[in-house]
Amino acid sequence: MPTITETATTSPIGQKTPRIDGPFKVSGTAMYASDFNFAGLLYAVPVEATIANGKIQKLDTSEAEKMPGVRAIFHRANIGKIFRSVLQPPSSGIADERRPPLADDVIRYYGQYIAVAVADTFEAAKAAADTVRATYTTEKPNVNLDLQPENEPEVVETTHGRLKRLQSERGDPDKAFASAQVKVDQTYVTPAETHNPIELQGTIAMWDGQMLTIYEESQGIFNLRSVLAQMFGLSKEDVRVITKFVGSGFGSKLWPWTHCALACAAARQLGKPVKLVLSRRMMFQSVGHRPRTQQRVRLGATNEGKLVSLMQDYLNDLDILGGYHENCGEATSYFYSVPNLRVHWGRTRRNIGSPTPMRGPGAVPGLFATESAMNELADQLKIDPVRLRELNEPKVDEGKGIPFSSRHYLECLQLGTERFGWANRNPEVGSMKRDGLILGWGVSGAAWISGRFPAQASVELRDDGSARVACGTQDIGTGTYTILAQLVSDKTGVPLNKIEVVLGDTSLPPGPISGGSLVTGSMVPAVFDAADNAITSLLTVATTESGSPFGNRTRDDLAFESGRVFAKADGPAKGVPFSDLLRHTNMRLVTGSGKSEGTLDEKKPKVSMHSYGCHFVEVTWQPATARLRVNRVVTVIDGGRIINPLAGRNQIEGAVVMGVGMALLEHTIYDPQNGAPINSNLADYLMSVNADAPLMEVHFLDYPDTDVNPLGARGIGEIGLAGVAAAITAATYHATGVRVRELPIRIEDLLTSSILA
Ligand code: MOS
């Protein structure tokens, strides 16, 4: 009786799997938020403040209002009520810029929105926005680069609630440092960096009575819903957020920004759908950036290279009203074994837009500082930097006093050493040469958090042999659509090309934010649970519904494998494809719901869950022209079980290329005169592009971390950026003799090199 149905014979878990959404993207049929169009759609363009510190004296909208096609110019007096929102613990209501747009006449950063023009076309709205005249009382903005801590109490409010500024402490680090045989005491600086996803941020907002629907390129649709519900005084059931595709975000789209509320408020006032898409310039002003950090790191060690003291005192700058904390100490307390340690932080306010997480927030600038200090210590001790790290490998997480779930950092270093050819290193500065170029070699470690957010999912098995999996998480370009299909295929035997994955809609089961490299790890148990429940439902149908060949069996007699239901006594060969079973019983589908809990809010975690890795970097230095190039990078990642090695390698390679940009190019410059980010375009804000990409070799250790989920999969979106810059500055020192402690490395820094032609 069984008809032949196409079923996957082997699980796609761990197989190089091309993205199932790839064809939609390359054919232009993938619908990004601002691609949607609706009858009567109007266009909004915000008006930006052209000062960074002061007050609006007068706003003249009269001329703009009279322009052709203009529907309205909204400002504080006519936008209608926009309420405040607050954090809703544990993980809702999050926003870095909390002030509702247009809430007062005070200007606190350049580009703050002071009005919004709405018209029948984008061009008319832009022309009207440009015609609005504002006069201000202006004070000199504070965008000083030298960071001094504000006089804040030891416990402060942050975006995510109250935090102690004394982040971690053990032993007596001051005393141990004072008496240490060898010391490093240096300050490292990372600049403001701006996320530059190719897709601009924007919102389409529309109202149907009390019901608000928005299309937005969000990395966290449920959080966005919770903020909008508060801002417009709605119950969350009355707000729907849709995000089908995201042209990347790097963190800038994690939390809501003010343009979204402006679009919603304008649509409410006019009773029409409104589309508001930011310009690239606005993307530098009002949707977050990685803040400037200044970190003093002190290391004390014995002559043999054993750490005795580690102190990290770090600062980040932030906006005037916000609570952003750049967690540079995230990896410090557990990465190396050291009996005496203190990590302490502070902040300092500036007339700039709010910072927000950017790929590897905290740990990426933090590890630049601490890994640079480790490299400097190795040079002082004349110990190989890999050896120094081996000498200080901890047995447990000494910050929390708990075991690691799965840590293979030393194996990363060993494999990297072999693959790179590190044994051939001559540590003397400027000593290694090839083809007329000086070679510089450097190494760094990497670490990033792991764990799970709470997640829910549903799985359907359908009578045509297809399956559907749904979750209100997002795919921000990282491969989430494909991973979910792989998980369902593994459980149900349905081939990937017959699995429909539905994401990005708050009407679906709640899913995690696309942040913290945590989606994959979070989704595994929820999708598995949902698939198991769908299969259970199928077996119930098999024993209870007329038309089933298993009508005389009990539920326990049956099993499911590779898409077939069979009697255990007869074996899978005599089984029936689930599609046949559904058709014979006149069922279109069976559904299962699944759920898994988060790990991040555990008060007393039993294990310390992180991913690890390392980078070995070769730079070339051409003294005659002062040309520095990152030539070759070998990266080894201990990221748990890798579900899709193709997308996984792609994540790490992308991160390494971004790390080259972090080390050599990226920095946002605020004009001290008017506070404007002056390189606010893709011509002047330099990022590494294909031509800057080094030869890259990526290796995964592939040790499952079953504390995270049954497959042992951790996320790998951010770990690849951690440490890259420290390895590049170490390699640069090795080639040039110039120690750069403030990023990015500039040609001017290198002109002091003694290794010049
Ligand atoms: Mo990432 S900075 O958590 O989007």
Side-chain angles (χ1 to χ4, degrees):
M1 183 194 80
T3 55
I4 307 294
T5 336
E6 194 188 347
T7 51
T9 47
T10 54
S11 166
I13 303 292
Q15 305 295 322
K16 292 181 183 171
T17 308
R19 286 161 205 235
I20 61 170
D21 51 329
F24 298 106
K25 290 184 172 178
V26 296
S27 64
T29 48
M31 292 289 280
Y32 293 78
S34 60
D35 291 336
F36 287 87
N37 202 355
F38 298 94
L41 184 72
L42 301 176
Y43 295 82
V45 172
V47 182
E48 307 146 80
T50 53
I51 67 165
N53 188 14
K55 243 187 136 176
I56 304 172
Q57 228 173 25
K58 187 164 180 288
L59 196 67
D60 182 357
T61 59
S62 53
E63 213 171 307
E65 278 161 9
K66 284 183 252 153
M67 292 171 73
V70 171
R71 297 294 181 111
I73 311 293
F74 292 114
H75 45 84
R76 192 157 77 83
N78 65 357
I79 189 82
K81 191 84 184 155
I82 306 176
F83 295 100
R84 287 188 61 82
S85 65
V86 294
L87 191 65
Q88 296 172 319
S91 55
S92 271
I94 304 167
D96 277 316
E97 181 166 355
R98 188 60 80 184
R99 171 187 172 276
L102 315 179
D104 57 33
D105 286 333
V106 182
I107 305 300
R108 299 174 179 88
Y109 65 89
Y110 189 98
Q112 182 183 318
Y113 302 130
I114 56 172
V116 57
V118 187
D120 294 333
T121 64
F122 169 75
E123 290 74 13
K126 174 78 171 83
D130 289 346
T131 306
V132 171
R133 294 279 164 260
T135 48
Y136 305 94
T137 50
T138 307
E139 287 173 53
K140 191 166 165 50
N142 179 357
V143 294
N144 293 346
L145 295 177
D146 181 34
L147 305 187
Q148 299 296 329
E150 308 261 315
N151 191 14
E152 290 193 290
E154 280 301 317
V155 178
V156 296
E157 289 298 334
T158 73
T159 302
H160 302 275
R162 285 161 75 78
L163 276 184
K164 285 189 195 143
R165 292 170 52 207
L166 179 59
Q167 187 164 2
S168 189
E169 190 175 38
R170 56 185 185 254
D172 188 341
D174 294 296
K175 193 161 153 234
F177 182 76
S179 61
Q181 290 169 323
V182 186
K183 297 174 198 190
V184 170
D185 181 354
Q186 294 294 351
T187 296
Y188 302 88
V189 174
T190 62
E193 293 173 10
T194 301
H195 325 68
N196 274 290
I198 286 304
E199 184 199 20
L200 299 166
Q201 298 216 34
T203 306
I204 299 175
M206 65 194 100
W207 293 78
D208 181 1
Q210 271 288 68
M211 176 85 198
L212 170 63
T213 300
I214 72 160
Y215 290 77
E216 170 104 10
E217 63 322 280
S218 170
Q219 291 180 243
I221 56 174
F222 281 90
N223 180 71
L224 177 54
R225 182 180 73 162
S226 70
V227 172
L228 287 177
Q230 293 184 66
M231 294 186 100
F232 292 95
L234 304 170
S235 52
K236 64 185 191 331
E237 294 77 15
D238 286 337
V239 182
R240 183 175 175 201
V241 181
I242 298 167
T243 299
K244 287 298 165 190
F245 289 93
V246 182
S248 193
F250 302 114
S252 63
K253 299 168 180 174
L254 276 172
W255 320 130
W257 296 104
T258 50
H259 67 266
C260 181
L262 281 183
C264 296
R268 178 183 59 187
Q269 298 306 83
L270 292 166
K272 297 263 187 199
V274 167
K275 180 189 289 196
L276 187 162
V277 180
L278 301 190
S279 65
R280 182 61 62 177
R281 184 181 68 223
M282 293 172 190
M283 296 278 287
F284 280 79
Q285 297 166 168
S286 47
V287 291
H289 60 276
R290 193 199 296 279
R292 185 176 182 84
T293 74
Q294 191 174 297
Q295 308 176 57
R296 181 182 181 193
V297 180
R298 280 171 284 181
L299 297 180
T302 66
N303 286 325
E304 291 72 44
K306 181 71 200 74
L307 288 174
V308 294
S309 178
L310 195 177
M311 288 180 276
Q312 182 188 19
D313 293 278
Y314 66 91
L315 296 166
N316 68 262
D317 62 6
L318 77 167
D319 55 320
I320 300 298
L321 296 177
Y324 187 79
H325 162 227
E326 181 77 12
N327 186 7
C328 297
E330 196 283 324
T332 312
S333 70
Y334 65 80
F335 204 26
Y336 295 113
S337 176
V338 55
N340 305 288
L341 170 143
R342 187 174 59 235
V343 180
H344 188 265
W345 55 271
R347 301 179 295 190
T348 183
R349 294 190 186 276
R350 293 288 181 261
N351 290 109
I352 51 179
S354 176
T356 206
M358 178 164 157
R359 200 176 197 173
V364 161
L367 283 163
F368 167 66
T370 53
E371 285 296 286
S372 291
M374 286 294 278
N375 286 331
E376 294 200 43
L377 179 65
D379 289 347
Q380 267 189 50
L381 287 163
K382 299 202 183 331
I383 289 182
D384 186 293
V386 174
R387 180 76 194 129
L388 179 67
R389 287 165 171 89
E390 287 168 350
L391 285 169
N392 292 287
E393 174 70 3
K395 294 206 165 52
V396 298
D397 176 333
E398 295 177 4
K400 293 206 172 80
I402 51 176
F404 295 111
S405 60
S406 171
R407 171 172 165 132
H408 302 275
Y409 178 45
L410 295 189
E411 209 179 312
C412 290
L413 288 167
Q414 283 149 12
L415 182 60
T417 300
E418 281 165 36
R419 298 297 314 186
F420 188 81
W422 187 254
N424 298 323
R425 172 177 178 263
N426 178 346
E428 198 191 322
V429 167
S431 64
M432 295 178 68
K433 298 192 174 88
R434 190 205 299 136
D435 303 334
L437 300 171
I438 315 269
L439 301 184
W441 285 6
V443 66
S444 170
W448 183 247
I449 54 167
S450 181
R452 294 191 312 270
F453 288 125
Q456 297 181 33
S458 70
V459 168
E460 290 172 11
L461 297 171
R462 301 189 288 211
D463 67 349
D464 57 359
S466 69
R468 176 188 191 265
V469 53
C471 173
T473 188
Q474 313 69 213
D475 189 332
I476 60 170
T478 48
T480 305
Y481 276 110
T482 311
I483 293 272
L484 262 58
Q486 289 178 280
L487 295 175
V488 170
S489 180
D490 175 72
K491 275 279 173 187
T492 64
V494 177
L496 293 173
N497 62 3
K498 296 186 92 172
I499 298 174
E500 180 190 2
V501 184
V502 185
L503 306 176
D505 190 330
T506 51
S507 64
L508 301 173
I513 59 164
S514 297
S517 307
L518 293 167
V519 171
T520 296
S522 306
M523 290 314 303
V524 169
V527 171
F528 276 6
D529 188 34
D532 283 338
N533 286 332
I535 290 165
T536 299
S537 176
L538 183 72
L539 298 186
T540 304
V541 166
T543 55
T544 57
E545 299 307 308
S546 65
S548 164
F550 303 105
N552 55 349
R553 304 278 186 176
T554 69
R555 165 73 189 73
D556 286 345
D557 293 340
L558 300 183
F560 177 92
E561 211 178 275
S562 304
R564 284 159 175 266
V565 177
F566 58 95
K568 289 175 192 164
D570 298 341
K574 292 207 174 144
V576 178
F578 72 82
S579 53
D580 287 0
L581 182 65
L582 289 172
R583 282 200 308 273
H584 293 314
T585 53
N586 194 28
M587 298 277 299
R588 166 63 178 141
L589 51 87
V590 286
T591 305
S593 296
K595 188 174 178 159
S596 62
E597 305 300 325
T599 59
L600 298 182
D601 298 317
E602 282 173 7
K603 288 270 171 324
K604 285 211 158 75
K606 290 190 191 66
V607 288
S608 168
M609 296 191 277
H610 296 90
S611 286
Y612 298 92
C614 62
H615 307 278
F616 288 80
V617 167
E618 175 178 285
V619 300
T620 57
W621 169 237
Q622 193 172 14
T625 55
R627 182 169 194 257
L628 184 76
R629 221 191 119 76
V630 179
N631 187 51
R632 182 165 71 94
V633 179
V634 172
T635 298
V636 186
I637 300 292
D638 167 24
R641 179 107 183 262
I642 303 301
I643 293 182
N644 185 354
L646 200 57
R649 197 190 65 208
N650 182 236
Q651 281 290 303
I652 303 301
E653 287 177 347
V656 168
V657 172
M658 198 167 178
V660 172
M662 177 178 176
L664 300 182
L665 302 168
E666 292 200 42
H667 63 312
T668 310
I669 303 162
Y670 296 90
D671 184 335
Q673 298 305 315
N674 65 2
I678 46 175
N679 54 344
S680 56
N681 58 73
L682 294 184
D684 294 322
Y685 184 89
L686 301 183
M687 289 173 286
S688 53
V689 295
N690 285 3
D692 302 294
L695 290 170
M696 287 178 280
E697 212 181 287
V698 175
H699 301 277
F700 290 110
L701 294 188
D702 224 14
Y703 286 106
D705 185 346
T706 49
D707 282 301
V708 182
N709 53 53
L711 285 182
R714 297 193 292 233
I716 47 171
E718 292 168 290
I719 176 91
L721 180 56
V724 177
I728 292 174
T729 53
T732 301
Y733 172 75
H734 184 221
T736 67
V738 179
R739 191 77 78 177
V740 179
R741 300 188 183 91
E742 176 167 350
L743 295 181
I745 302 170
R746 300 167 311 151
I747 293 169
E748 297 90 307
D749 297 325
L750 303 180
L751 294 180
T752 62
S753 171
S754 57
I755 315 294
L756 288 170

